[in-house]
Amino acid sequence: MVTGGARGIGRAVVESLAEAGATVAFTYFTSGDAQALVSSLEKAGGKALAVPMDVTDRETVEAGVKTVLDTFGGLEILVNNAGITRDGLLLRMKPADWDAVLDTNLKGTFYCTQMVARAMVRQRYGRIVNITSVVGAAGSPGQGNYAASKAGLMGFTKSMARELAPRGITVNAVAPGFIETDMTQAVGEERRSHLLPQIPLGRFGRPEDVAHCVRFLADPNMSYITGQVIHVNGGMYM
Ligand code: NDP
């Protein structure tokens, strides 16, 4: 199950996991074309399911996870990808923007992980991958709320890795750098030309760059990697 799988990085993860042969459920919140993605995955021979979910709303998380479990009978991979930004400098940041980002990125991941881990613990198997950010490690002016949520995810990942290891569940994080999606669309030309020279590999990332790493960590053979944060950022932060 991939949260926020209808577009951006989440969609690339859904497509990559489906290509690897996984039966994929993904969640959508405001995206209107989730069913079109299901149809295209099914046309390619896969099995897919789209479930509505607001990760900040515990009831929809519970209902969504139940639908996935009832439909597929189990849940082996969870990718906590849903996330938002509400940028603002400290002195101007509205408490509502702080709360929205922490509720979506951090509390949402807690809700989803808690619901899904129940099934994984029973199965004594699971792969959990949390999508954090380079910003959680390096910081970023104007993104105090986002950086706090993503750094929080790194601590959560390591704690869950320790807690769930005895049950055969690995928990890792992927920290993307600057990836071309709707989220980074709003970044102006000036900021882009400031950022590009800081990337040794000389280009912004593509959603597929992140998806390949998630697919690697979600593989059944990856049973000896847990509690790690893997940076996918073209070298912009080492
Ligand atoms: P997008 O803005 O393109 O997509 C955001 C996704 O999150 C959408 O699928 C959206 O669903 C979902 N979402 C937002 N709010 C909620 C909510 N309350 N409940 C459920 N789903 C929600 O972002 P990206 O694809 O760029 O980002 C995906 C993840 O990667 C995020 O966690 C982001 O922080 C992280 N990241 C992105 C980077 C980048 O450069 N793009 C860099 C580092 C990390 P819907 O469309 O259905 O509303």
Side-chain angles (χ1 to χ4, degrees), residues 135-193:
V135 168
S140 170
Q143 293 198 296
N145 50 358
Y146 186 72
S149 73
K150 295 299 189 179
L153 276 182
M154 293 183 196
F156 181 67
T157 297
K158 292 175 190 185
S159 297
M160 291 310 105
R162 291 183 187 278
E163 198 172 311
L164 298 172
R167 312 302 180 100
I169 300 165
T170 66
V171 188
N172 292 288
V174 174
F178 189 104
I179 310 295
E180 301 270 19
T181 66
D182 294 344
M183 186 176 271
T184 46
Q185 202 75 51
V187 174
E189 210 36 61
E190 200 183 320
R191 180 118 179 92
R192 292 172 85 92
S193 37

Side-chain angles (χ1 to χ4, degrees), residues 4-10 28-31 53-56 81-84 104 131-133 146 150 176-179 181-184:
R7 64 192 170 98
I9 291 171
Y28 63 96
F29 180 36
T30 61
S31 283
M53 182 184 292
D54 172 1
V55 295
T56 69
N81 163 79
I84 59 167
T104 305
I131 307 298
T132 172
S133 168
Y146 186 72
K150 295 299 189 179
F178 189 104
I179 310 295
T181 66
D182 294 344
M183 186 176 271
T184 46

Side-chain angles (χ1 to χ4, degrees), residues 2-234:
V2 181
T3 66
R7 64 192 170 98
I9 291 171
R11 185 185 178 108
V13 171
V14 167
E15 289 173 338
S16 182
L17 292 175
E19 193 188 271
T23 298
V24 188
F26 66 91
T27 79
Y28 63 96
F29 180 36
T30 61
S31 283
D33 59 351
Q35 285 310 323
L37 177 56
V38 170
S39 305
S40 97
L41 294 169
E42 286 178 344
K43 221 175 274 167
K47 232 167 123 191
L49 174 73
V51 290
M53 182 184 292
D54 172 1
V55 295
T56 69
D57 177 349
R58 202 174 163 80
E59 279 175 21
T60 70
V61 173
E62 197 162 10
V65 172
K66 187 175 181 308
T67 303
V68 176
L69 288 170
D70 289 349
T71 309
F72 294 138
L75 223 165
E76 297 178 329
I77 300 167
L78 169 65
V79 183
N80 285 305
N81 163 79
I84 59 167
T85 52
R86 293 280 185 277
D87 295 353
L89 293 167
L90 174 67
L91 299 189
R92 284 191 228 135
M93 183 167 289
K94 295 186 183 75
D97 289 339
W98 175 273
D99 288 345
V101 169
L102 270 290
D103 283 355
T104 305
N105 301 0
L106 194 52
K107 205 192 229 178
T109 296
F110 157 60
Y111 285 162
C112 292
T113 305
Q114 191 178 49
M115 300 296 170
V116 170
R118 282 194 187 125
M120 288 181 172
V121 163
R122 274 197 303 273
Q123 292 161 185
R124 301 210 152 252
Y125 177 85
R127 296 276 179 268
I128 299 175
V129 183
N130 299 321
I131 307 298
T132 172
S133 168
V134 64
V135 168
S140 170
Q143 293 198 296
N145 50 358
Y146 186 72
S149 73
K150 295 299 189 179
L153 276 182
M154 293 183 196
F156 181 67
T157 297
K158 292 175 190 185
S159 297
M160 291 310 105
R162 291 183 187 278
E163 198 172 311
L164 298 172
R167 312 302 180 100
I169 300 165
T170 66
V171 188
N172 292 288
V174 174
F178 189 104
I179 310 295
E180 301 270 19
T181 66
D182 294 344
M183 186 176 271
T184 46
Q185 202 75 51
V187 174
E189 210 36 61
E190 200 183 320
R191 180 118 179 92
R192 292 172 85 92
S193 37
H194 169 75
L195 282 171
L196 193 55
Q198 297 175 33
I199 303 174
L201 285 175
R203 65 168 176 85
F204 295 123
R206 293 183 281 264
E208 296 73 30
D209 294 318
V210 181
H212 288 136
C213 186
V214 174
R215 175 168 161 178
F216 166 79
L217 291 169
D219 191 286
N221 289 320
M222 291 304 128
S223 57
Y224 205 56
I225 299 179
T226 198
Q228 303 304 309
V229 179
I230 303 194
H231 288 264
V232 179
N233 62 24

